[in-house]
Amino acid sequence: MSTYRSDFLAILAERGFIHQVSEPDALDARAKSETITAYIGFDCTAPSLHVGSLLPIMMLYWLQQTGHRPIVLMGGGTTRVGDPSGKDESRRMLSDEAIDRNLKGIRAIFSRFLKFEGEGGNAVMANNADWLNRLNYIDFLRDIGRHFSVNRMLSFDAVKLRLERQQELSFLEFNYMVLQAYDFVELHRRYGCILQMGGSDQWGNIVNGIDLGRRMLNAQLFALTSPLITTSSGAKMGKTAAGAVWLNADLVSPYDYWQYWRNTEDGDVVRFLKLFTVLPLSEIARLSALKGAEINEAKKMLATEATALVHGRAAAEAAAETARRTFEEGTLAETLPTVEIARADLERGLGVLVAFAEKAGLVASNSEARRQIRSGGLRVNDRTVADEKMILTAHDLTAAGVIKLSLGRKRHVLLKPV
RNA sequence: GGGAGAGUGUCCCGAGCGGCAAAGGGGGCGGACUGUAAAUCCGCUGGCUUACGCCUUCGUAGGUUCGAGUCCUACCUCUCCCA
């Protein structure tokens, strides 16, 4: 790949964010000579963003850090339609209320990464519902629809895949790319936005927007996509047994978030340090020289830095300290996730099954707890539970006044009587 | 409108002569080994139950049977062929 002269593209390139760029030289020149405005769209399909969305967020972060203007586009309108890209099946239709609720949850995350207008920054938060919701169908067809060739739309991967696999693609979803293209044009009109970024699966959609911009406004627009990030062993990022790794603290605690990064595979550490932390590359180069068990130092760095970005420095260091005491010293850290239980329950005697399943929520059901006991996976105060009929009482309280329940080596919950 | 086929364990894929809690994968979880890694090996992977066992599951609703994922009828959804 050519070397970029603008700070923005140079940084994205050396940190591994770039998969494809349209007209890289022209974009580089503009990013070098002027302040450019770029956007990324975010779906409102869930109440929070998860780790998978972190990559685009980081691209906006670097955009602003290198002197440009980021636009976060909330898909309040497009989420009502549903993007067929990369999906085998139609998505379930979300109610407008659900979308609205999700939108609010997602919004909060961005203030960690970007400085918005009114907060001493220049970032813009937009919502495509503002223009999509009031479109008039016939007008839209005449103004926008005439620029689209169905022949060409059928050739895009997102559509082709569905057709080839003989899976249904509704007319509703078929229109998604038209709406997304229109978003780009609308953002160009409103904010002078010239660049849309996104994951590699968005390339087709973005290019549609570029075409539309040229036809309607004779504008030169650009596309930049990031690679699909998978772990070295091929798994998609952001999924664990417990579900997605959400960015909101009420869905995934800072401690669990820290743990997620701490458990990164060896082969991914350097790549992730570049993508998901803002550590200087020189520092990352130093960490990448570590070998064998020393790589754990790099993983801790990754975990703490990545957590600090999302949850703040203090929460990140608290999580690191909790982990250090739990894993390295083997002592009890009172800052482990804690569940309060009624003191009366304890005096009456609390069955282990209930304690693990209902109270701590470490396992999904009593049956699951039984199975785990049979395979030696449950521990109370670091002693393996051998008997599923075991009863917890006040005698099991440690000096710190809690009972430590563990599932496997890594997952711990403290029961605290109140 | 006519004809043919498909829908299986609510993570996915996928077998299933009328006796099935239902083969086999993948994924996930636990154990061993390690470095809170990877790879490898072993176990588990519907719910309730101390247990005998009970309950809920194969697109939906009925029916035939001692007994139905398996047979019949209707309906729903998706494919394909003809019009």
Side-chain angles (χ1 to χ4, degrees):
Chain A
M1 206 59 181
S2 60
T3 43
Y4 294 106
R5 298 176 51 230
S6 64
D7 288 346
F8 174 57
L9 290 178
I11 287 181
L12 286 197
E14 66 191 4
R15 299 190 81 107
F17 282 94
I18 297 180
H19 180 242
Q20 289 183 92
V21 188
S22 66
E23 302 183 79
D25 296 335
L27 179 61
D28 191 39
R30 293 193 60 172
K32 175 86 182 155
S33 64
E34 59 186 281
T35 297
I36 63 169
T37 300
Y39 93 95
I40 298 179
F42 293 87
D43 265 347
C44 307
T45 43
S48 165
L49 294 174
H50 54 80
V51 173
S53 307
L54 213 49
L55 200 76
I57 296 175
M58 292 307 291
M59 290 200 284
L60 289 180
Y61 170 84
W62 288 115
L63 180 78
Q64 188 168 47
Q65 293 301 308
T66 51
H68 302 287
R69 179 162 73 147
I71 298 177
V72 176
L73 178 68
M74 305 303 288
T78 31
T79 302
R80 297 174 73 188
V81 172
D83 183 4
S85 303
K87 306 203 172 50
D88 286 348
E89 292 172 9
S90 300
R91 193 183 279 159
R92 254 179 308 163
M93 289 268 246
L94 290 164
S95 70
D96 289 350
E97 297 78 61
I99 291 173
D100 203 50
R101 206 166 42 241
N102 292 342
L103 195 149
K104 291 198 175 92
I106 291 169
R107 228 175 216 164
I109 295 164
F110 288 98
S111 57
R112 289 275 184 196
F113 293 86
L114 303 174
K115 286 200 185 68
F116 287 93
E117 289 173 338
E119 302 166 353
N122 64 350
V124 174
M125 175 81 70
N127 182 352
N128 61 17
D130 290 346
W131 54 86
L132 294 182
N133 282 359
R134 25 166 239 262
L135 285 178
N136 172 300
Y137 192 56
I138 301 293
D139 288 344
F140 183 75
L141 287 181
R142 287 177 61 97
D143 294 343
I144 313 298
R146 68 193 171 98
H147 296 295
F148 282 84
S149 150
V150 170
N151 308 44
R152 221 166 82 74
M153 285 169 76
L154 291 175
S155 74
F156 281 100
D157 282 349
V159 174
K160 215 165 58 181
L161 213 77
R162 284 278 193 93
L163 295 179
E164 276 170 5
R165 298 170 74 173
Q166 301 181 339
Q167 278 155 343
E168 131 116 353
L169 175 71
S170 69
F171 183 65
L172 178 80
E173 293 172 286
F174 187 59
N175 275 273
Y176 185 92
M177 64 170 86
V178 177
L179 295 178
Q180 184 169 337
Y182 177 64
D183 279 346
F184 199 172
V185 170
E186 189 64 31
L187 286 171
H188 179 69
R189 272 193 190 131
R190 293 183 176 216
Y191 302 102
C193 178
I194 60 160
L195 170 65
Q196 181 181 175
M197 302 188 286
S200 53
D201 59 335
Q202 293 297 312
W203 181 258
N205 288 342
I206 297 174
V207 167
N208 266 322
I210 292 177
D211 282 349
L212 185 64
R214 184 169 41 238
R215 286 165 202 253
M216 289 181 70
L217 310 171
N218 198 30
Q220 186 182 24
L221 304 178
F222 300 91
L224 189 163
T225 55
S226 58
L228 177 69
I229 303 296
T230 54
T231 64
S232 294
S233 38
K236 269 194 195 159
M237 280 205 59
K239 296 278 193 276
T240 67
V245 180
W246 303 107
L247 302 185
N248 283 9
D250 51 344
L251 292 172
V252 171
S253 71
Y255 173 76
D256 287 332
Y257 191 78
W258 193 94
Q259 282 296 324
Y260 172 76
W261 292 105
R262 175 61 243 263
N263 286 303
T264 297
E265 296 173 25
D266 283 10
D268 295 325
V269 175
V270 172
R271 195 160 50 109
F272 287 0
L273 279 166
K274 286 187 197 167
L275 293 170
F276 301 113
T277 76
V278 297
L279 288 173
L281 291 174
S282 56
E283 172 74 0
I284 294 174
R286 186 184 70 77
L287 292 170
S288 74
L290 298 173
K291 296 229 163 47
E294 291 178 335
I295 291 174
N296 285 326
E297 290 311 310
K299 289 186 187 179
K300 284 181 223 166
M301 196 68 123
L302 169 64
T304 301
E305 294 303 314
T307 306
L309 281 175
V310 176
H311 297 293
R313 179 65 54 182
E317 290 186 346
E321 176 60 13
T322 300
R324 193 184 66 77
R325 292 176 60 178
T326 305
F327 289 96
E328 292 176 28
E329 289 183 3
T331 58
L332 186 92
E334 304 84 46
T335 43
L336 279 171
T338 301
V339 171
E340 297 187 339
I341 56 168
R343 189 169 286 278
D345 283 350
L346 204 57
E347 281 160 6
R348 214 176 294 128
L350 187 62
V352 263
L353 300 181
V354 173
F356 274 92
E358 281 173 43
K359 303 293 184 191
L362 280 168
V363 293
S365 64
N366 289 4
S367 299
E368 172 70 17
R370 281 199 185 85
R371 267 184 238 120
Q372 290 295 359
I373 289 171
R374 247 172 264 144
S375 51
L378 298 188
R379 280 168 298 139
V380 172
N381 293 330
D382 299 317
R383 288 196 321 275
T384 303
V385 178
D387 181 4
E388 60 186 62
K389 282 176 278 188
M390 177 179 179
I391 302 291
L392 302 181
T393 66
H395 294 297
D396 294 301
L397 291 170
T398 64
V402 294
I403 299 175
K404 181 182 178 189
L405 303 183
S406 310
L407 166 64
R409 278 281 140 74
K410 296 182 189 174
R411 306 179 53 199
H412 312 279
V413 165
L414 300 182
L415 287 187
K416 183 175 189 161
V418 289

